[in-house]
Amino acid sequence: MSTPKQIQLSHGGGGREMAELIGKLFFEAFDNQILRQEEDAACLNMTGPIAFTTDSFVVSPLFFKGGNIGKLAIAGTVNDLAMMGAAPQYLSCGFIIEEGFEIAKLKEIVETMAAELHKSGAKIVCGDTKVVPKGCADGVFINTSGVGRIIKPGISVHSVRPGDAIILSRDIGCHGAAILAAREGLELETELQSDCATLWPMVEQLIAANLELHAMRDATRGGIAAVLNEWAKAANVGIELSEEVIPVRDEVRGVCELYGFEPWDLANEGTFVIALPQEIAADAITVMHQFCNCDQARIVGTVTDTNAGKVILHSPWGSKRYLELPAGELLPRIC
Amino acid sequence: MPELQLKQLYDGFRDPRTVAELASQIKQLAAKLDEPVNVMEVCGGHTHTIMKYGLLQLLPDNIEFIHGPGCPVCIMPKERIDQAAALAQIPDVILVTLGDMIRVPGSEGSLAQFRAKGCDIRPIYMPLDALKIAQENPDKTVVYFAIGFETSTPMTAVLLEQAEKLGIPNLLFHINHVLVPPAIDAVMADPDTRVNAFIGPSHVSVITGSQIYQPTVDNYHTPVVVSGFEPVDVMQSILSIVKQKVEGRCALENQYERAVSYKGNEAAQQKVNHFFTVRPSFRWRGLGPIPNSALMLKPEYRHRDAELKYGERLPVKEIDDHKACQCGDILRGKAKPQDCKVFGRGCTPQTPLGSCMVSSEGACNAYYRYAGVK
Amino acid sequence: MCLSIPSQVVELHPEIQSVTVDTLGVKRTVSCHLMEEPLAVGDYVLIHIGFVMNKIDAASAAESLALYKEIVDKMEAADA
């Protein structure tokens, strides 16, 4: 019998086919000592405070310019740990695969994940695979959870305080715009790539520079508008941004013009914001500028004790307005 | 002259220094005005520009914007949305509509909520996508819930034309296309109206030409300046209006000459006239029934009309907005959003009670998001 | 009233009555069923929900921009 090219329900059945899939595909790509033990649970040696996070990835389309769902699943969870000042160490990985999904595509996703893991040094130490009948999932869904040792304690939304500078690591909206462009029905052609990236290397250097980081967060769904609103509410401070200095590339502007979106509402997957004392902002930016992913890092705003709970955007036209938490589906505006 | 770059078509008309300089010219000239100028920008797109770029804050006190009824999503009465929901609940019907319409609440919920309940409702980006959906689903009936002012009507006409030409029988239409001039008349019919100048819509005018506003100038003796959508366009148009007022004139002017002609896009107009006829009356959310203010399919295309085919199943009960809602007064320029008791309290963009809060182009929605920053 | 975006024609597809346009580096194919006059590569057009609505008169746009430049230059000369 020849090996099937598509995922069969039997691949999730717990029998021979599943063992083969796991052995040939997952173990080979994610190989490490802990995973190889094949116990019911991974045994880890950890001391001190740890950060623990989980995220599920259901992106459509699965493959896009600048990455695929696998890259997102690793970078996303690793970044959540990094943003808490934790070195990403161990990840779990659960796949929910739709019957009929091409094994070649799955292989590509898994290999991308393995490559992305190398960027932080984190390891996948346990996993799970389920196959659901055709139509019950959209290709493949991935869940990753991760733990990491907290190297820099005290990074927290509650530590954002008046007088802090807000640093943005790069131009915004690339992931959201790239996904939209790739979406069926839009048929847009663009060179635009998702910003999807592992952020630990930059964070590691920021920590090594011994800078007083108050808060850090990657601006994923809801964009920088969501993150900064969360900070303003959680820390009960005001945040003032200058529209002029927030970098947005032309293609992202183009997608926004076409559909009436705002770049601050669009998702990012490798872009983060930092709140830290104004006087050390320049030092942080110097560290960030060593990385090509952050060569546009800059101060985009400040934290104030007025307008608590609100984010205010100052426009180059001299006007100001509230930057709201994005709400509702991201639907094109026609009018 | 060096060749014009596409980017200049954006940035050139958004240049903050030009906006500032036009603002200072307006200020100087407005000092000579005998009476305040209350400019209605009919179109929601202009409302959006005015708020987004903070133009309100740049103008002197004797110039006021009154935000008109020119957002097709905002003025859609709830019963029409209820009809869309009723259509979507018919087995084997796929309801397609442009994105904005999906989250506007009818009396029983929004189309997004009906979709969550299992109805096949699909937001599309371009009307011609409806054709593809109909072709791909020959055993279903696809209903295009058509919305928009003169700007968007020709696109519906092309969709219908293509469905006829390609012999695609399973595409029907629920037509909600509305017209700008009757809405202007409805505002001006109020004896207490304060409106004494108009900024003419940009893209309606691209299709219709600036000609459609000549009666407004003649009948109401008000200046009308057709304006582009960018902040520099709007400021230049305001300057033209103030000039007319200071000189005691009222005329039709076209600031948006780069895209609008006097006669407009005649090919598009012909297509509209071929398929549509004027509806005797249409109820506008906030303004009530306005005669001859909307379109419907001509009798020879009745086989495409979902309102006729499913007439018995469509609710006709007229649903008014909350009693406290003052959208009607706001749209006529008799009240400001902040004057309304429910503004920002019961009525927010997440839970709109009245039309002006519904979409990002409604006056209340724009005030809620942009104004009031201290 | 409705969102409509200046774009530039980059490819012609007369057989399907459409053109490919570029909007700040984003390309897509749109219908020209509403255009009587033929379009050429390089033309600036306004796009609304998948259709070319009209050509933008580049000369008129350039004229406006020149006027604005004059206004700003005068202002800056006065400020200096």
Side-chain angles (χ1 to χ4, degrees):
Chain A
M1 206 176 77
S2 68
T3 341
K5 288 200 165 67
Q6 278 85 27
I7 290 289
Q8 316 287 309
L9 279 174
S10 57
H11 280 119
R16 193 158 56 92
E17 292 89 341
M18 189 163 129
E20 238 182 66
L21 182 74
I22 291 175
K24 278 212 181 120
L25 191 56
F26 298 134
F27 275 31
E28 214 148 279
F30 301 146
D31 195 27
N32 62 65
Q33 274 304 316
I34 306 171
L35 187 65
R36 283 278 171 203
Q37 300 303 312
E38 294 188 53
E39 301 284 0
D40 271 358
C43 298
L44 312 173
N45 275 320
M46 299 186 82
T47 51
I50 64 165
F52 176 35
T53 186
T54 187
D55 208 342
S56 298
F57 298 84
V58 295
V59 66
S60 171
L62 295 170
F63 295 84
F64 46 85
K65 283 210 172 77
N68 62 40
I69 189 173
K71 187 172 181 183
L72 280 182
I74 299 302
T77 291
V78 161
N79 290 349
D80 283 349
L81 295 171
M83 292 299 117
M84 293 304 292
Q89 287 175 280
Y90 304 116
L91 266 58
S92 74
C93 175
F95 283 93
I96 295 174
I97 311 170
E98 185 184 14
E99 177 189 15
F101 190 68
E102 274 178 60
I103 292 180
K105 281 190 183 166
L106 184 63
K107 189 160 187 273
E108 190 182 339
I109 290 169
V110 167
E111 283 167 358
T112 310
M113 292 171 80
E116 199 61 27
L117 282 166
H118 282 297
K119 295 179 186 161
S120 63
K123 295 180 174 72
I124 286 179
V125 292
C126 55
D128 176 54
T129 306
K130 295 283 187 302
V131 178
V132 294
K134 207 161 180 58
C136 294
D138 188 5
V140 56
F141 298 153
I142 303 176
N143 170 277
T144 48
S145 298
V147 292
R149 189 164 62 87
I150 294 180
I151 296 181
K152 177 102 182 165
I155 297 177
S156 159
V157 291
H158 301 285
S159 308
V160 178
R161 65 191 65 145
D164 279 359
I166 302 287
I167 293 176
L168 174 65
S169 70
R170 56 166 286 167
D171 63 309
I172 56 170
C174 291
H175 181 72
I179 291 290
L180 270 166
R183 196 175 274 180
E184 199 187 353
L186 289 187
E187 273 112 31
L188 301 182
E189 223 183 287
T190 158
E191 297 300 309
L192 184 66
Q193 295 213 342
S194 164
D195 60 332
C196 180
T198 289
L199 298 172
W200 172 244
M202 300 85 164
V203 174
E204 191 177 26
Q205 290 308 309
L206 284 168
I207 293 173
N210 203 22
L211 295 167
E212 187 189 338
L213 306 169
H214 286 166
M216 273 195 294
R217 193 164 283 183
D218 51 342
T220 55
R221 269 176 309 170
I224 62 166
V227 172
L228 296 177
N229 269 288
E230 282 160 21
W231 283 6
K233 285 207 175 64
N236 199 33
V237 293
I239 293 177
E240 311 238 347
L241 296 177
S242 167
E243 184 175 337
E244 228 164 345
V245 295
I246 298 174
V248 181
R249 75 180 59 207
D250 275 352
E251 293 92 332
V252 174
R253 270 182 70 193
V255 169
C256 287
E257 292 286 346
L258 284 172
Y259 299 107
F261 297 143
E262 304 257 33
W264 14 89
D265 292 350
L266 293 180
N268 308 279
E269 287 293 344
T271 302
F272 65 116
V273 286
I274 307 174
L276 80 185
Q278 200 84 42
E279 53 278 15
I280 57 165
D283 301 335
I285 290 170
T286 306
V287 172
M288 294 168 83
H289 280 180
Q290 296 165 18
F291 296 88
C292 57
N293 190 33
C294 294
D295 60 3
Q296 292 191 76
R298 63 185 71 181
I299 298 177
V300 293
T302 51
V303 180
T304 63
D305 50 12
T306 49
N307 291 302
K310 297 278 187 190
V311 182
I312 291 170
L313 188 67
H314 293 258
S315 84
W317 299 273
S319 66
K320 46 191 179 173
R321 59 157 163 144
Y322 293 123
L323 186 65
E324 295 269 338
L325 198 62
E329 260 174 273
L330 214 49
L331 288 168
R333 190 171 76 93
I334 58 137
C335 47
Chain B
M1 194 181 302
E3 207 180 315
L4 185 72
Q5 299 292 310
L6 180 61
K7 246 183 137 173
Q8 289 172 269
L9 284 176
Y10 291 87
D11 296 338
F13 294 94
R14 290 177 187 174
D15 177 47
R17 291 169 311 167
T18 312
V19 170
E21 179 53 22
L22 288 169
S24 101
Q25 290 189 13
I26 292 169
K27 217 172 238 167
Q28 277 177 22
L29 200 59
K32 300 182 188 162
L33 286 169
D34 303 329
E35 52 163 17
V37 181
N38 303 316
V39 190
M40 171 167 279
E41 88 281 4
V42 182
C43 168
H46 280 137
T47 308
H48 195 80
T49 300
I50 289 163
M51 302 310 288
K52 177 170 175 181
Y53 297 102
L55 304 185
L56 218 51
Q57 299 157 29
L58 302 177
L59 293 176
D61 290 342
N62 57 349
I63 298 176
E64 193 186 310
F65 284 112
I66 293 172
H67 313 294
C71 157
V73 176
C74 301
I75 60 90
M76 190 73 68
K78 281 186 182 161
E79 60 266 23
R80 302 295 290 183
I81 297 163
D82 290 349
Q83 290 190 357
L87 288 167
Q89 289 173 79
I90 297 170
D92 294 328
V93 163
I94 301 174
L95 187 86
V96 296
T97 188
L98 298 171
D100 297 39
M101 215 52 234
I102 293 281
R103 53 177 168 234
V104 182
S107 68
E108 308 275 324
S110 67
L111 293 176
Q113 286 163 331
F114 279 96
R115 186 179 54 187
K117 285 182 196 163
C119 294
D120 194 342
I121 298 172
R122 306 185 190 178
I124 54 173
Y125 308 99
M126 314 179 243
L128 283 182
D129 290 345
L131 207 59
K132 210 162 74 187
I133 296 173
Q135 281 171 314
E136 286 167 0
N137 296 276
D139 50 341
K140 304 249 170 125
T141 301
V142 175
V143 179
Y144 178 53
F145 186 69
I147 61 160
F149 278 86
E150 288 91 333
T151 326
S152 317
T153 317
M155 294 71 184
T156 306
V158 172
L159 176 61
L160 178 46
E161 182 185 61
Q162 292 299 308
E164 290 284 297
K165 201 167 138 189
L166 301 172
I168 298 167
N170 60 325
L171 178 62
L172 302 187
F173 295 79
H174 186 282
I175 301 293
N176 301 278
H177 288 302
V178 285
L179 303 169
V180 165
I184 292 181
D185 291 336
V187 168
M188 298 309 283
D190 189 323
D192 298 333
T193 185
R194 294 164 51 238
V195 177
N196 59 9
F198 286 94
I199 290 184
S202 317
H203 295 136
V204 161
S205 314
V206 168
I207 299 293
T208 64
S210 60
Q211 55 183 351
I212 62 164
Y213 311 107
Q214 192 59 52
T216 308
V217 175
D218 297 340
N219 296 341
Y220 309 113
H221 309 290
T222 53
V224 177
V225 179
V226 174
S227 169
F229 263 151
E230 301 297 348
V232 169
D233 292 321
V234 174
M235 293 304 272
Q236 201 190 6
S237 301
I238 295 287
L239 184 61
S240 297
I241 286 173
V242 175
K243 262 187 198 149
Q244 286 196 32
K245 286 281 181 190
V246 167
E247 293 165 10
R249 294 185 296 125
C250 63
L252 173 61
E253 286 182 43
N254 181 9
Q255 182 275 336
Y256 196 30
E257 265 185 338
R258 63 186 188 275
V260 171
S261 63
Y262 184 71
K263 294 210 149 166
N265 181 337
E266 291 177 85
Q269 292 165 25
Q270 274 163 21
K271 284 199 200 290
V272 171
N273 293 336
H274 182 81
F275 293 101
F276 296 97
T277 181
V278 173
R279 205 181 269 264
S281 180
F282 189 84
R283 235 168 67 91
W284 292 50
R285 197 172 174 183
L287 289 176
I290 304 179
N292 304 321
S293 63
L295 298 176
M296 59 185 194
L297 292 176
K298 280 191 173 164
E300 49 269 47
Y301 296 101
R302 58 189 309 128
H303 58 287
R304 295 279 178 185
D305 196 335
E307 265 185 271
L308 294 177
K309 172 155 187 194
Y310 297 112
E312 287 162 16
R313 303 200 199 198
L314 300 184
V316 290
K317 187 166 176 260
E318 295 180 349
I319 314 246
D320 286 318
D321 281 331
H322 192 278
K323 272 199 215 86
C325 168
Q326 278 187 272
C327 282
D329 287 343
I330 292 166
L331 290 173
R332 290 189 176 89
K334 291 161 80 176
K336 289 266 155 205
Q338 307 88 296
D339 300 334
C340 178
K341 272 190 216 126
V342 288
F343 173 77
R345 299 185 186 92
C347 184
T348 67
Q350 278 72 48
T351 55
L353 292 179
S355 66
C356 303
M357 192 60 96
V358 165
S359 108
S360 66
E361 301 201 348
C364 294
N365 186 302
Y367 271 72
Y368 184 87
R369 290 180 308 131
Y370 290 104
V373 182
K374 285 171 202 86
Chain C
M1 157 149 359
C2 291
L3 209 61
S4 178
I5 307 307
S7 304
Q8 189 165 31
V9 176
V10 292
E11 251 174 82
L12 306 174
H13 315 287
E15 68 291 354
I16 49 167
Q17 279 201 60
S18 60
V19 290
T20 301
V21 296
D22 177 292
T23 312
L24 298 174
V26 183
K27 289 195 189 108
R28 58 184 178 149
T29 302
V30 294
S31 152
C32 19
H33 283 92
L34 296 172
M35 295 302 291
E36 210 136 68
E37 53 172 328
L39 292 171
V41 169
D43 279 351
Y44 294 109
V45 289
L46 277 174
I47 308 296
H48 174 59
I49 49 175
F51 286 82
V52 178
M53 289 173 80
N54 207 358
K55 258 166 84 164
I56 297 173
D57 181 347
S60 164
E63 209 175 288
S64 301
L65 291 173
L67 172 77
Y68 301 146
K69 190 174 176 299
E70 204 178 300
I71 291 175
V72 170
D73 287 349
K74 245 189 229 162
M75 173 179 81
E76 284 177 350
D79 288 349

